[in-house]
Amino acid sequence: LVLKSRQIERALLRGDMAAINFPGSTGAVETLRAAMRDIAASGRHAHLYGAAGTGKKLAAYTIHRLAEQPRHLLQVNLRTAPPDVLRELPVPDGPTDLVCKFVDMATPHQQLHLLELLHRHDGLRLLSTSLNPLSEIRPHAVVEDVTLAEGMVEVRLPTLDERREDLPEIFESFVRQAIRNLDIDMPEIPQSVIAEIMTRAWDGDLPELRRHAMSFALGRKAQTDAGGGQSLAEQMDAFERLVLTETLRRTGGSASLAATSLGLPRNTFYDRLARHGLSPKDFRTWSDPAADSG
């Protein structure tokens, strides 16, 4: 774990988003990281699929962040979006990544609107996600389009069960993110905790493991503050700040994406940020005028 911890720190210093967001050394995750880097470098469209909780949206953001030059970011959830969302989508000038979640649930009209967008804007790259590969969501206008199909890469995200040897490193990475937000020293992770992680079935995949890491970090935070006697309200505030910070980090400082991810109205989200002294711009890796328009 000490060696893996040093690897993570080196990745942080390099700004290697693929290694930071998808740590591990199994063949499955190394293949995934290589695919994300190739897509980022080539600028090709990509379809990311896999079981719920495997990190499809995170993979899309990772590809976006791996780009050598700044790109605008847009996100659409086609499972819940209005019918005309793609027709009315304001695409900014310049290179742009469009993350389309649940592309398999797009209506025929949304499929046509998506194709029109892609043909009208040369700098627009599609990063679509779904549970299934393209071959299982036919017939589909986006899939059947020859121009798009020739330039689209498919990437399957492995489950935690396929990355079981990586579990200690992933957990340690989640704990490190949490304690950084809680402003405490990195605690030692007991072997008993590692043993539990390795033997437990993570049916909820990455989100479940991340929550477990947050709980572990909050427990260490409570122990650290035991002398001062934290109240329940103080502990809840600490947890809320942790969730807000982690969400802003994952969305690259996009307030719109973070608010949507948390299911909060925009005004409520900003009120929560103000309460904790947080600002979206502090989580952006570069100045992106479209960071708040996703």
Side-chain angles (χ1 to χ4, degrees):
L1 280 177
V2 172
L3 293 176
K4 295 298 184 184
S5 178
R6 290 173 183 169
Q7 289 178 5
I8 292 172
E9 288 296 341
R10 287 196 294 270
L12 288 170
L13 291 173
R14 293 195 308 269
D16 186 349
M17 296 308 298
I20 294 170
N21 291 337
F22 292 90
S25 55
T26 58
V29 77
E30 288 182 350
T31 299
L32 173 60
R33 287 196 297 258
M36 291 189 295
R37 290 172 180 137
D38 287 344
I39 294 167
S42 68
R44 296 173 67 185
H45 303 296
H47 179 66
L48 310 167
Y49 71 96
T54 49
K56 297 180 290 294
K57 183 172 70 174
L58 180 60
Y61 292 150
T62 301
I63 292 169
H64 170 75
R65 298 281 290 279
L66 284 171
E68 293 184 2
Q69 299 297 326
R71 299 178 65 90
H72 302 289
L73 178 64
L74 301 173
Q75 175 184 268
V76 175
N77 185 334
L78 293 176
R79 183 172 63 177
T80 58
D84 293 331
V85 63
L86 292 171
R87 185 172 63 183
E88 300 171 356
L89 193 68
V91 179
D93 294 331
T96 303
D97 288 331
L98 172 59
V99 179
C100 274
K101 297 177 58 181
F102 301 105
V103 70
D104 53 326
M105 295 187 179
T107 66
H109 287 299
Q110 288 175 333
Q111 295 174 35
L112 293 175
H113 294 159
L114 179 56
L115 285 176
E116 290 172 359
L117 277 178
L118 294 171
H119 289 308
R120 191 164 59 243
H121 300 277
D122 292 336
L124 185 62
R125 174 172 61 181
L126 173 64
L127 301 174
S128 63
T129 74
S130 75
L131 297 176
N132 302 309
L134 295 175
S135 60
E136 295 183 17
I137 60 176
R138 298 172 184 267
H140 197 288
V142 176
V143 178
E144 299 296 340
D145 181 80
V146 176
T147 303
L148 182 58
E150 290 178 350
M152 177 167 273
V153 182
E154 279 196 87
V155 179
R156 177 183 173 275
L157 274 79
T159 63
L160 282 182
D161 193 50
E162 297 173 82
R163 303 173 57 193
R164 188 155 290 276
E165 293 178 11
D166 293 332
L167 282 173
E169 188 174 349
I170 300 170
F171 180 75
E172 192 268 349
S173 176
F174 286 157
V175 171
R176 184 174 296 279
Q177 294 168 12
I179 63 98
R180 186 179 292 112
N181 297 331
L182 292 172
D183 195 25
I184 60 175
D185 293 332
M186 180 66 187
E188 179 180 353
I189 302 177
Q191 188 58 39
S192 59
V193 173
I194 299 299
E196 178 195 358
I197 291 167
M198 292 296 290
T199 57
R200 179 169 165 178
W202 298 98
D203 297 331
D205 224 88
L206 287 174
E208 183 181 358
L209 184 60
R210 182 181 288 109
R211 288 192 296 270
H212 193 66
M214 284 185 177
S215 297
F216 176 83
L218 285 169
R220 294 303 180 270
K221 170 72 171 175
Q223 292 178 11
T224 301
D225 297 337
Q230 268 199 324
S231 67
L232 176 61
E234 289 171 332
Q235 293 180 53
M236 293 296 290
D237 278 345
F239 182 73
E240 182 177 79
R241 189 180 195 282
L242 175 62
V243 172
L244 290 169
T245 303
E246 173 63 13
T247 305
L248 283 171
R249 186 196 66 77
R250 286 190 293 104
T251 58
S254 169
S256 296
L257 294 180
T260 300
S261 175
L262 295 173
L264 292 174
R266 193 178 179 87
N267 289 340
T268 302
F269 177 72
Y270 274 110
D271 287 343
R272 300 286 178 86
L273 293 183
R275 181 194 305 171
H276 295 284
L278 298 173
S279 175
K281 70 178 188 310
D282 294 335
F283 297 83
R284 295 174 193 160
T285 54
W286 51 60
S287 178
D288 183 354
D292 252 3
S293 65

